[in-house]
């Protein structure tokens, strides 16, 4: 009886481990694509939220790319017994790069959303950061910087072992777990510090608005957008940090089930933006309803 129960548990786990990553790829691609399309509609052009929306559109794109790295390899591993990262040298270099590049860009785009909200609430006059052209420059700089930081994967990582398999390490130095530590800092620790600092100020200014003469409509708009982004930031911190901490410090001592479970939680976060916007962002919800009913 005990054997049958354990066999049933294994079957259920294998089914979940195989098809949940595939579900994330399909639903994440759909939701993030819809998010990008809705945020590009005429309603959001030339509005006071336009600058923040540049970051939100970029995040939607990188959240799609994230799902086709390690997450998609989880599906391939359990369904077909191989991963793209170990399929060939070219795939190894590309997916090793994407597994770090995309989450780091996504995290730092979120930092600048926090920074943008802070500036919009705390500065009366527009700053250099409050111009559409300069926001696009910032996004390009973020992408460029993290491309350079992770470009060593293309130059040094991945080579053939004597038995014909692919080694994901570099010949000149050990990439893992070193790069997991660096990823923890770039993807979680620094974003955590900056997000908390900026959103602490955002919450302070939202409370101040309750005691000022600012119009009720403008106050509602600031509150709606800021609350949406605060929720997204909070979920980012609690859903992504366990996976990166586990990869950095406890990879060898934790089971594959725990490691993959943390990965699934991390990648689940990157499909939630559409649902969060739909629930908390009134203008976004209206545009979704309009696009369905027209």
């Amino acid at each position: 009886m005990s054997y049958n129960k354990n066999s049933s548990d294994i079957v259920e786990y294998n089914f979940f481990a195989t098809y949940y990553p595939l579900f994330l790829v399909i639903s994440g691609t759909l939701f993030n694509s819809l998010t990008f399309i809705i945020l590009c509609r005429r309603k959001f052009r030339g509005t006071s939220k336009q600058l923040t929306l540049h970051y939100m559109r970029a995040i939607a794109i990188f959240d799609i790319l994230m799902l086709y790295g390690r997450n998609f390899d989880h599906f391939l591993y359990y369904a077909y017994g191989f991963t793209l990262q170990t399929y060939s040298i070219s795939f190894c270099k590309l997916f090793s790069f994407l597994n770090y590049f995309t989450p780091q860009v996504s995290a730092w785009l979120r930092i600048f959303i926090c920074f943008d909200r802070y500036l919009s609430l705390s500065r009366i006059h527009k700053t250099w950061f409050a111009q559409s052209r300069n926001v696009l420059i910032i996004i390009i700089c973020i992408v460029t910087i993290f491309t350079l930081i992770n470009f060593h994967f293309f130059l040094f990582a991945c080579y053939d072992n004597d038995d014909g398999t692919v080694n994901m390490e570099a010949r000149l130095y050990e990439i893992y777990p070193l790069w997991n530590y660096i990823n923890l800092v770039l993807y979680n620790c620094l974003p955590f510090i900056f997000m908390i600092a900026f959103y602490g100020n955002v919450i302070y200014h939202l409370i101040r608005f309750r005691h000022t003469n600012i119009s009720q409509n403008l106050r509602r708009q600031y509150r709606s957008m800021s609350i949406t982004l605060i929720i997204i930031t909070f979920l980012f911190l609690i859903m992504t940090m366990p996976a990166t901490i586990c990869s950095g410090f406890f990879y060898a001592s934790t089971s594959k089930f725990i490691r993959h479970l943390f990965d699934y939680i991390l990648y689940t976060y990157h499909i939630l933006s559409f649902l969060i916007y739909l629930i908390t962002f009134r203008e976004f919800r209206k545009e979704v309803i309009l696009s369905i009913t027209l």
Side-chain angles (χ1 to χ4, degrees):
M1 181 68 72
S2 175
Y3 174 80
N4 292 334
K5 183 177 184 300
N6 290 336
S7 298
S8 175
D9 290 343
I10 291 172
V11 170
E12 290 178 3
Y13 167 69
N14 286 340
F15 181 84
F16 172 77
T18 301
Y19 292 105
Y20 188 69
L22 182 62
F23 163 77
L24 291 177
V25 169
I26 296 171
S27 59
T29 301
L30 175 62
F31 285 153
N32 287 312
S33 297
L34 287 173
T35 299
F36 181 83
I37 292 169
I38 294 297
L39 293 177
C40 288
R41 286 170 66 92
R42 185 182 303 174
K43 166 73 175 179
F44 294 110
R45 297 175 193 167
T47 67
S48 60
K49 303 180 183 66
Q50 176 67 21
L51 302 180
T52 304
L53 295 176
H54 284 319
Y55 296 116
M56 293 167 71
R57 294 183 193 113
I59 286 172
I61 294 172
F62 279 93
D63 281 355
I64 292 174
L65 294 176
M66 274 197 67
L67 300 172
Y68 289 87
R70 185 180 292 113
N71 174 69
F72 190 57
D73 267 351
H74 288 333
F75 163 70
L76 293 175
Y77 175 78
Y78 285 104
Y80 301 105
F82 76 97
T83 64
L84 290 175
Q85 195 171 3
T86 57
Y87 184 73
S88 69
I89 298 297
S90 299
F91 277 120
C92 179
K93 290 177 180 291
L94 176 61
F95 284 92
S96 296
F97 171 80
L98 288 178
N99 284 336
Y100 294 98
F101 166 73
T102 51
Q104 290 165 13
V105 171
S106 181
W108 282 78
L109 288 171
R110 285 172 166 84
I111 288 175
F112 276 89
I113 284 183
C114 301
F115 183 57
D116 175 76
R117 285 292 88 195
Y118 163 70
L119 290 179
S120 66
L121 291 170
S122 63
R123 299 291 187 271
I124 298 176
H125 303 291
K126 285 188 175 183
T127 66
W128 183 89
F129 297 94
Q131 300 178 38
S132 184
R133 175 176 172 273
N134 294 336
V135 169
L136 295 176
I137 291 174
I138 291 171
I139 293 173
I140 292 171
C141 287
I142 292 172
V143 173
T144 302
I145 288 169
F146 286 102
T147 297
L148 295 175
I149 288 175
N150 294 284
F151 198 74
H152 67 97
F153 284 106
F154 291 113
L155 299 177
F156 305 113
C158 305
Y159 59 91
D160 286 322
N161 290 317
D162 294 335
D163 59 1
T165 59
V166 175
N167 191 321
M168 295 187 295
E169 288 283 356
R171 294 182 186 275
L172 302 178
Y173 58 97
E174 289 189 3
I175 297 177
Y176 309 100
L178 171 63
W179 216 250
N180 289 330
Y181 300 149
I182 293 173
N183 186 59
L184 177 62
V185 173
L186 295 178
Y187 178 51
N188 284 117
C189 294
L190 289 179
F192 173 83
I193 293 170
F194 284 118
M195 288 177 184
I196 292 298
F198 289 136
Y199 269 129
N201 280 281
V202 167
I203 293 171
Y204 166 75
H205 286 289
L206 285 175
I207 294 172
R208 271 190 56 197
F209 279 176
R210 299 179 62 184
H211 307 289
T212 62
N213 295 324
I214 188 172
S215 70
Q216 185 69 22
N217 186 49
L218 186 58
R219 186 184 305 171
R220 191 182 299 115
Q221 290 180 15
Y222 276 126
R223 185 170 61 245
S224 174
M225 173 66 84
S226 297
I227 289 175
T228 298
L229 298 175
I230 288 172
I231 292 172
I232 289 174
T233 300
F234 176 73
L235 289 177
F236 171 79
L237 297 174
I238 65 172
M239 294 180 72
T240 64
M241 192 168 285
T244 49
I245 291 176
C246 180
S247 295
F249 295 101
F250 305 105
Y251 187 88
S253 60
T254 54
S255 66
K256 183 182 292 185
F257 170 78
I258 296 298
R259 296 197 305 269
H260 287 190
L261 180 62
F262 284 157
D263 275 351
Y264 298 152
I265 293 172
L266 182 152
Y267 290 111
T268 298
Y269 169 79
H270 290 279
I271 74 168
L272 293 180
S273 293
F274 178 84
L275 298 177
I276 295 172
Y277 297 160
L278 194 64
I279 294 169
T280 63
F281 188 5
R282 186 177 58 178
E283 290 89 345
F284 184 87
R285 183 167 59 250
K286 286 182 178 179
E287 284 303 302
V288 172
I289 294 172
L290 283 174
S291 65
I292 293 174
T293 55
L294 286 180

